[in-house]
Amino acid sequence: MKSLSILLLSCVPVAMAGCSGTHMLSQAHQAEGQIVENVGSGTSVSRSPSSIGLDEFLGMLSRVDEQVLAQQLETRIADQSLRGARAVYEPEFYIRIDRDRKLRPTTAEEGVRNNTAGTDNLFNDYSSNDTSGRIGLSFREMTGAEIDLFYETARLTNSLQQQADSYSPEYTGSLGVAIKQPLLRNAGREVTEAMMRLASVEKDIAQETYRLTLAQRVFEGIRAYILVQRAQERVVLRERAVGLAEKLTSEIAKQRGSGLRSSSDLAEATAALGLRKSQLAQGRQELEEQLGAFQIFFGGAGASNGQRWLPRDALRPPSERLTVQASPAYAEDAFERRSEARVNGLLIEIEKINTSVAENQAKPELNLNVEYSRESLNATRQPLSRYLQSPTPYASWRVGLEYRRGIGGDIRRQAELSTSELRLQQAELTRNATLQRIESELAGIRSIVDRSNEQMVQQRGIVQEQRALLDTEKQRMASGQSSLIEVLSREVDLVVAQEALVDAVAQLNMSSYLASQISGTLLSRVGLE
């Protein structure tokens, strides 16, 4: 993200010098309200090209571009992670069944102790066959307490029951609750919900990263769109320039035959014609290269459909003059809108959460353990409802404290706390560096936009002047004061001025979209936000 705007600024000279243009013009554009006059369509494209408007192209790009779709999946992954983190309070039902069988010899001590019935068989083997089961519901409270509500029952059969003249089998049961309440480490809602808060922030980061990826791909798409437009306009104008140069060379050759022009005039015209043809060949090559690069954007999700796409929109300057203000408030607004700046802020929030958790984890572990249960012993199994309707007089309870701490002061957790504090400082420094970089980018793009506006106004004036000179030359030719050669030369000058105007308009469009990218308003400008 840090290198994004630096990369954008580094491509400005390229973008300004040769990466603008907008579909072959099909209508005449007057100098006052439009840009370039209709110069025809002098280049052909294979495979039945289809045209597409810029808005339609960007909408398609946001739906099928694989980089955008991949990051969109990342937001869905983050959403599922948040959904899982929110389950921290989800109760958990459990059931456990155990079967225990024993057959072992009886020691003298056990024989005497177990001979409650006064029999002579002190050393009979001891056998037992027990079946127990437990069901329960465990959950976590906001304080960090772990609560277990349980019901446990067992069927006991052993060799001592007959000796004691007791009923066999015996049925035991207990209904109770066990609570483990942290008092230091892991205590409190802030720690209990830490993973939930982290997942929520990471989801926001994924969404901002998606927004950043979309803005990057949109800008790249706009750049490719303008590159094709500019290349198309160059080919059209250079084809017209070649046609005019051929007429001019032919006319000079005729006048040379009549003795009105010298051989050097013809040689100069022939050399100029060769230069125009070389420029046309170069323009056609550039158009093919830019068209090939433009088709890449239609590869996602099979959007190309085997067609070759061309821009449909005509090359025009922005409808409104874009101004980049030189004020701290404007820079702050741009900083708040930029996705990478938002991500920096979210990373700071993550480190604050991690630091808070690490501070808690550095404390000793002190738990309060409480358990209480109602118990029964019967010749038959007792239903659960009996414990609720007619309480048994038998019960057990336990209360205790558990303390744990590393002998060296919990070195590992202390190191984690120090790491979290350092990462928080690092995130804050990164945020400040990003703000400074954005301010620098705004200062740079401000001068670029101003120069582009000035250049377009200047080139528009030159085109108007060349058109006026051409009209004057035609009037002089009509009155016999000039010749067709001078008129053709003026037309060539007008075409050259028109090409410079096309470059100026393309440069202005590129700098305008780049300024929107830097100020964080690109997606809203193109209707994708």
Side-chain angles (χ1 to χ4, degrees), residues 474-493:
K474 287 181 178 180
Q475 292 174 2
R476 294 184 62 198
M477 185 181 71
S479 62
Q481 298 178 0
S482 182
S483 67
L484 180 60
I485 291 178
E486 281 71 22
V487 172
L488 291 173
S489 297
R490 290 296 183 189
E491 288 186 355
V492 171
D493 293 340

Side-chain angles (χ1 to χ4, degrees), residues 226-448:
I226 296 177
L227 279 170
V228 177
Q229 291 175 312
R230 179 176 181 270
Q232 288 175 315
E233 295 292 355
R234 279 185 167 183
V235 169
V236 170
L237 292 171
R238 289 178 182 182
E239 284 181 342
R240 183 177 179 185
V242 167
L244 292 172
E246 288 176 343
K247 290 181 182 179
L248 181 60
T249 303
S250 176
E251 185 64 23
I252 291 176
K254 290 179 182 179
Q255 293 193 13
R256 176 180 175 278
S258 302
L260 300 177
R261 296 284 178 174
S262 64
S263 299
S264 61
D265 292 336
L266 180 59
E268 183 178 352
T270 302
L273 175 59
L275 177 62
R276 299 294 178 196
K277 289 182 177 180
S278 175
Q279 291 175 340
L280 175 58
Q282 182 182 3
R284 285 173 173 168
Q285 177 64 29
E286 179 188 358
L287 175 59
E288 287 300 320
E289 292 175 358
Q290 300 305 333
L291 281 173
F294 186 57
Q295 306 312 307
I296 296 175
F297 292 91
F298 296 87
S304 62
N305 294 323
Q307 296 177 324
R308 203 173 190 188
W309 293 86
L310 294 173
R312 181 192 306 141
D313 296 343
L315 179 62
R316 295 184 178 88
S319 57
E320 297 181 2
R321 178 168 177 149
L322 181 65
T323 57
V324 181
Q325 301 176 12
S327 66
Y330 187 87
E332 186 65 27
D333 289 342
F335 182 78
E336 295 299 328
R337 288 190 296 262
R338 289 279 288 268
S339 292
E340 58 265 52
R342 294 179 180 180
V343 169
N344 282 341
L346 293 170
L347 289 175
I348 290 176
E349 186 174 348
I350 282 182
E351 295 308 328
K352 287 181 178 179
I353 296 173
N354 287 334
T355 301
S356 176
V357 173
E359 289 175 349
N360 178 272
Q361 293 298 303
K363 297 177 180 179
E365 182 177 352
L366 179 61
N367 301 322
L368 173 65
N369 298 315
V370 178
E371 184 172 345
Y372 174 82
S373 63
R374 295 175 180 175
E375 301 180 352
S376 68
L377 175 62
N378 296 279
T380 58
R381 191 183 305 278
Q382 302 298 310
L384 177 62
S385 59
R386 179 180 181 277
Y387 295 88
L388 302 175
Q389 297 173 359
S390 56
T392 174
Y394 305 105
S396 65
W397 60 270
R398 177 178 61 87
V399 176
L401 290 174
E402 177 185 6
Y403 181 84
R404 292 175 180 270
R405 182 173 179 82
I407 296 177
D410 250 334
I411 298 174
R412 178 176 63 85
R413 291 186 172 88
Q414 292 293 339
E416 291 174 352
L417 174 58
S418 299
T419 300
S420 297
E421 292 172 343
L422 292 173
R423 285 177 176 169
L424 178 58
Q425 296 177 17
Q426 183 184 47
E428 292 173 343
L429 290 174
T430 302
R431 183 182 186 277
N432 294 334
T434 303
L435 177 58
Q436 294 174 2
R437 176 167 53 83
I438 291 176
E439 291 176 346
S440 175
E441 291 174 358
L442 288 172
I445 195 61
R446 188 183 306 117
S447 60
I448 292 173

Side-chain angles (χ1 to χ4, degrees), residues 72-348:
Q72 196 173 48
L73 288 176
E74 194 66 30
T75 63
R76 294 172 61 184
I77 293 172
D79 188 61
Q80 292 302 313
S81 298
L82 175 59
R83 180 169 174 259
R86 284 175 175 166
V88 63
Y89 295 124
E90 181 183 11
E92 183 179 40
F93 171 79
Y94 67 91
I95 182 170
R96 186 178 71 222
I97 299 177
D98 297 314
R99 188 171 180 84
D100 182 16
R101 300 189 66 177
K102 295 179 181 178
L103 177 61
R104 60 183 179 82
T106 303
T107 65
E109 179 183 357
E110 291 173 337
V112 173
R113 186 175 62 247
N114 294 335
N115 188 22
T116 57
T119 63
D120 296 331
N121 299 323
L122 300 180
F123 304 105
N124 288 343
D125 291 339
Y126 173 79
S127 63
S128 67
N129 186 356
D130 302 335
T131 302
S132 62
R134 178 172 174 142
I135 61 173
L137 189 67
S138 62
F139 57 93
R140 185 187 294 270
E141 259 292 328
M142 289 187 295
T143 60
E146 298 177 3
I147 301 176
D148 182 16
L149 303 175
F150 63 90
Y151 170 65
E152 189 169 17
T153 183
R155 179 182 183 276
L156 308 178
T157 303
N158 57 65
S159 57
L160 297 178
Q161 291 168 345
Q162 294 180 356
Q163 296 180 27
D165 196 19
S166 176
Y167 41 78
S168 179
E170 297 171 311
Y171 290 91
T172 64
S174 62
L175 175 66
V177 57
I179 301 174
K180 180 181 179 181
Q181 173 63 63
L183 301 179
L184 293 176
R185 185 188 300 168
N186 297 323
R189 182 172 184 176
E190 185 176 1
V191 179
T192 304
E193 296 183 350
M195 294 305 297
M196 188 189 311
R197 292 161 56 205
L198 286 172
S200 178
V201 176
E202 288 174 355
K203 178 186 176 182
D204 293 339
I205 290 177
Q207 291 174 338
E208 287 301 329
T209 307
Y210 164 74
R211 181 174 176 266
L212 174 62
T213 303
L214 178 59
Q216 288 176 329
R217 293 299 290 166
V218 164
F219 181 79
E220 292 170 2
I222 292 173
R223 181 177 181 273
Y225 196 93
I226 296 177
L227 279 170
V228 177
Q229 291 175 312
R230 179 176 181 270
Q232 288 175 315
E233 295 292 355
R234 279 185 167 183
V235 169
V236 170
L237 292 171
R238 289 178 182 182
E239 284 181 342
R240 183 177 179 185
V242 167
L244 292 172
E246 288 176 343
K247 290 181 182 179
L248 181 60
T249 303
S250 176
E251 185 64 23
I252 291 176
K254 290 179 182 179
Q255 293 193 13
R256 176 180 175 278
S258 302
L260 300 177
R261 296 284 178 174
S262 64
S263 299
S264 61
D265 292 336
L266 180 59
E268 183 178 352
T270 302
L273 175 59
L275 177 62
R276 299 294 178 196
K277 289 182 177 180
S278 175
Q279 291 175 340
L280 175 58
Q282 182 182 3
R284 285 173 173 168
Q285 177 64 29
E286 179 188 358
L287 175 59
E288 287 300 320
E289 292 175 358
Q290 300 305 333
L291 281 173
F294 186 57
Q295 306 312 307
I296 296 175
F297 292 91
F298 296 87
S304 62
N305 294 323
Q307 296 177 324
R308 203 173 190 188
W309 293 86
L310 294 173
R312 181 192 306 141
D313 296 343
L315 179 62
R316 295 184 178 88
S319 57
E320 297 181 2
R321 178 168 177 149
L322 181 65
T323 57
V324 181
Q325 301 176 12
S327 66
Y330 187 87
E332 186 65 27
D333 289 342
F335 182 78
E336 295 299 328
R337 288 190 296 262
R338 289 279 288 268
S339 292
E340 58 265 52
R342 294 179 180 180
V343 169
N344 282 341
L346 293 170
L347 289 175
I348 290 176

